[in-house]
């Protein structure tokens, strides 16, 4: 991932491609550890593996967005700023798609490869897979059509608020302490929700900075 922003004219260089094989490998390892932990009734291993993966994904998001924040809108031109932000937002979308894909794969893997059972696993797994595919296609479209407006700030905030409400409900109702078969799914929901919320916050900060800098035009309003 190249997030270097030169002091001269900006050339978009923000990309997840160099890191993608490692991120996919980390996702696969996380899912494997979750399946092994669920198979032997170990609650700690799935939580640990999910938490470490989320830390990696959130750290990747920070590496993409933080360099833009430090510039405070000081780009050579409005178009250079828009290109930089477009690539950062696109990477955020791809990271969110990866989180949902990881969640779907973890649910499918845990409840088909271990003895753990939960009747709603494939319903939620399918829903997460649809979210992942939709976000992935949107991120692809955003990169192919340069005139396509970026997602509005309101949509980013709404996504983050919805996830935060779900997390608060899960924690407040004590679902994480359940002894039923959905305990492993709750770990997926918890850590996946943390990752999505963090990505929404980072995207919102990036979009807000460019709006205040006056380079956003109609891209994020």
């Amino acid at each position: 991932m190249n997030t270097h922003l030169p002091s001269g004219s900006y050339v978009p260089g923000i990309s997840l491609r160099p890191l993608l094989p490692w991120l996919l490998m980390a996702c696969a390892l996380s899912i494997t550890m979750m399946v092994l932990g669920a198979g032997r009734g170990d609650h700690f291993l799935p939580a640990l593996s999910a938490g470490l993966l989320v830390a990696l994904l959130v750290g990747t998001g920070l590496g993409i967005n933080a360099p833009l924040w430090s510039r405070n809108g000081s780009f050579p031109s409005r178009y250079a700023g828009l290109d930089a932000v477009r690539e950062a937002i696109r990477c955020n979308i791809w990271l969110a798609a990866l989180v949902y894909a990881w969640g779907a794969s973890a649910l499918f893997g845990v409840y088909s490869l271990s003895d753990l059972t939960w009747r709603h696993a494939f319903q939620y797994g399918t829903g997460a897979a649809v979210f992942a595919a939709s976000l992935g296609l949107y991120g692809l479209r955003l990169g192919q059509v340069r005139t396509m407006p970026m997602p509005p700030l309101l949509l980013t905030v709404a996504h983050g608020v919805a996830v935060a409400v779900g997390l608060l409900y899960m924690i407040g109702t004590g679902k994480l302490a359940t002894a039923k078969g959905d305990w492993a799914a709750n770990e997926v929901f918890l850590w996946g929700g943390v990752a999505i919320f963090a990505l929404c916050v980072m995207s919102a900060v990036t979009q807000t900075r460019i709006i205040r800098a006056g380079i956003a035009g109609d891209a994020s309003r």
Side-chain angles (χ1 to χ4, degrees):
M1 178 181 62
N2 178 15
T3 57
H4 176 62
L5 299 177
S7 57
S9 59
Y10 176 74
V11 178
I14 300 173
S15 175
L16 283 178
R17 288 183 181 179
L19 280 182
L20 189 57
W22 301 103
L23 293 176
L24 291 175
M25 187 182 301
C27 287
L29 181 60
S30 173
I31 293 168
T32 301
M33 293 299 100
M34 294 188 74
V35 171
L36 291 176
R40 63 186 188 186
D42 182 358
H43 290 221
F44 177 73
L45 185 58
L48 177 63
S49 58
L52 289 176
L53 177 67
V54 167
L56 174 62
L57 295 176
V58 172
T60 302
L62 281 174
I64 291 169
N65 290 271
L68 296 177
W69 303 342
S70 64
R71 290 183 68 99
N72 292 318
S74 58
F75 294 94
S77 69
R78 175 178 178 272
Y79 296 104
L82 282 175
D83 282 342
V85 173
R86 176 180 290 273
E87 292 303 317
I89 295 299
R90 187 184 179 211
C91 288
N92 292 342
I93 292 171
W94 275 101
L95 284 172
L98 186 59
V99 172
Y100 280 111
W102 163 81
S105 300
L107 290 174
F108 291 144
V110 166
Y111 290 99
S112 62
L113 299 177
S114 73
D115 295 331
L116 204 61
T117 59
W118 182 46
R119 61 177 181 173
H120 299 301
F122 287 90
Q123 299 173 19
Y124 282 93
T126 301
V130 170
F131 264 99
S134 299
L135 287 171
L137 290 174
Y138 179 71
L140 183 64
R141 181 73 173 170
L142 190 63
Q144 291 177 338
V145 183
R146 306 302 295 179
T147 58
M148 183 178 180
M150 285 182 283
L153 177 59
L154 181 60
L155 184 61
T156 303
V157 173
H159 192 183
V161 169
V163 171
V165 170
L167 288 173
L168 290 175
Y169 172 78
M170 178 182 298
I171 296 172
T173 56
K175 287 187 174 294
L176 295 177
T178 183
K180 298 180 180 179
D182 63 343
W183 67 264
N186 289 338
E187 294 292 346
V188 175
F189 299 149
L190 172 66
W191 291 107
V194 169
I196 295 296
F197 179 75
L199 289 169
C200 286
V201 170
M202 286 185 278
S203 293
V205 172
T206 296
Q207 290 170 282
T208 301
R209 291 291 180 91
I210 63 169
I211 290 173
R212 289 179 177 175
I215 64 172
D218 59 351
S220 302
R221 297 184 188 274

